[in-house]
Amino acid sequence: SQQGEEDPQALSIQEGENATMNCSYKTSINNLQWYRQNSGRGLVHLILIRSNEREKHSGRLRVTLDTSKKSSSLLITASRAADTASYFCATLLSGTYKYIFGTGTRLKVLA
Amino acid sequence: DAGVTQSPTHLIKTRGQHVTLRCSPISGHKSVSWYQQVLGQGPQFIFQYYEKEERGRGNFPDRFSARQFPNYSSELNVNALLLGDSALYLCASSRITSGGAHEQFFGPGTRLTVL
C-alpha cells in the first residue's frame, strides 16, 4: 500500500501562477523527496528534505516539511508550460531503505 | 556523469514467459532499487540491493527476483508473467549525501507489456 497521498490529485493553472501541492504520510521518516515525471517516463529528482529540516529551496521550488503533521508541501513559483507533469513525494521509512511513494499530483500549466 | 541507464526501453512478452530487465547505476553509487509503476499510480518498491546483498524487499511474489553484480549493475527477473505485470519498471541508484541522507535517482524505465 502507498503511505503517501498527494493533494490535489490534479491541478490546472495559468503560466506565471504559483502551484502548490501537498503530501501527507503515515509513519516516521528519515527524509522526504519530491520527484517530477513527464508522461510515464523516468522520475526526475527535484529536492530532498531531511526529517530535521523545515524548509528548502531550489531555484523556483520551495519545499516545507512538518513532521508533527506528517505533511510536506511543494511550491513551484512562476510556473511554465514545461512544468506540466506529475509530481510525487517519496518518504524513506525510518530504519529501512524502503521508499514509499504517493499517488501523485498531475499538474497542467496552460500557456 | 551519465545518469542511471536501463535496458531495454520497451518490451512485449506473452503470459507465462520470463523477462530480464537491466540497470546500470550512476558511477560511484553502490545501491540499486527496483520499482514497479502501474499506469495512474505511484511507483511501488520491489527490491533494494547494496554491495550485491539484498537490503529490502517489497510485497511482491517470488516470481520477482533480482541480483546485483560486482560492478553494481543489476538485473530484475520476472518469471511466469501475468497480464498484471504490465507496467513501467524503474531502477534507481542511491548515494549518501554529505549530510548523511539517502538520496535516490531514477533511470528512464522499461515499459513492459504482457499480452
Side-chain angles (χ1 to χ4, degrees):
Chain A
S1 63
Q2 299 186 277
Q3 89 145 334
E5 289 187 7
E6 282 91 344
D7 169 56
Q9 289 188 340
L11 180 61
S12 185
I13 59 173
Q14 294 292 324
E15 207 167 28
E17 293 181 337
N18 295 342
T20 299
M21 51 204 85
N22 304 294
C23 166
S24 61
Y25 57 91
K26 298 175 184 175
T27 59
S28 295
I29 63 171
N30 283 329
N31 68 54
L32 184 147
Q33 299 183 41
W34 283 91
Y35 292 87
R36 184 184 73 232
Q37 186 176 41
N38 293 84
S39 302
R41 300 164 76 177
L43 279 78
V44 174
H45 181 267
L46 296 177
I47 199 165
L48 176 151
I49 186 166
R50 300 181 66 176
S51 59
N52 61 354
E53 297 175 312
R54 292 297 166 257
E55 186 172 316
K56 285 191 80 170
H57 297 257
S58 177
R60 295 185 294 114
L61 307 179
R62 172 178 170 258
V63 168
T64 63
L65 179 64
D66 187 335
T67 53
S68 66
K69 295 181 179 179
K70 292 186 169 57
S71 67
S72 174
S73 67
L74 170 66
L75 168 68
I76 305 173
T77 60
S79 62
R80 306 166 181 167
D83 294 328
T84 294
S86 291
Y87 292 82
F88 293 91
C89 69
T91 51
L92 180 62
L93 302 185
S94 293
T96 77
Y97 297 98
K98 185 177 179 180
Y99 275 97
I100 304 296
F101 280 78
T103 50
T105 292
R106 294 185 308 280
L107 173 66
K108 188 170 185 178
V109 181
L110 304 171
Chain B
D1 280 343
V4 179
T5 60
Q6 291 186 244
S7 63
T9 305
H10 295 88
L11 201 52
I12 298 175
K13 293 284 189 178
T14 57
R15 282 178 295 174
Q17 285 188 312
H18 161 270
V19 68
T20 298
L21 310 180
R22 296 177 175 82
C23 171
S24 292
I26 294 170
S27 177
H29 290 195
K30 299 180 179 180
S31 177
V32 170
S33 299
W34 287 95
Y35 291 80
Q36 180 195 67
Q37 186 179 22
V38 175
L39 194 62
Q41 297 184 19
Q44 297 276 341
F45 174 81
I46 308 175
F47 287 110
Q48 188 188 76
Y49 277 78
Y50 178 77
E51 294 275 15
K52 297 182 292 179
E53 296 292 326
E54 182 183 301
R55 199 159 66 170
R57 173 186 283 256
N59 189 25
F60 280 81
D62 292 343
R63 298 185 296 108
F64 288 77
S65 64
R67 56 179 176 168
Q68 187 177 31
F69 299 99
N71 65 353
Y72 305 114
S73 67
S74 177
E75 285 183 352
L76 175 70
N77 295 284
V78 186
N79 293 323
L81 285 167
L82 303 174
L83 295 178
D85 295 331
S86 294
L88 181 67
Y89 288 84
L90 296 161
C91 173
S93 73
S94 308
R95 66 168 186 160
I96 303 299
T97 68
S98 58
H102 183 263
E103 194 171 34
Q104 192 169 230
F105 299 87
F106 283 82
T110 293
R111 173 73 61 187
L112 172 64
T113 301
V114 182
L115 302 177

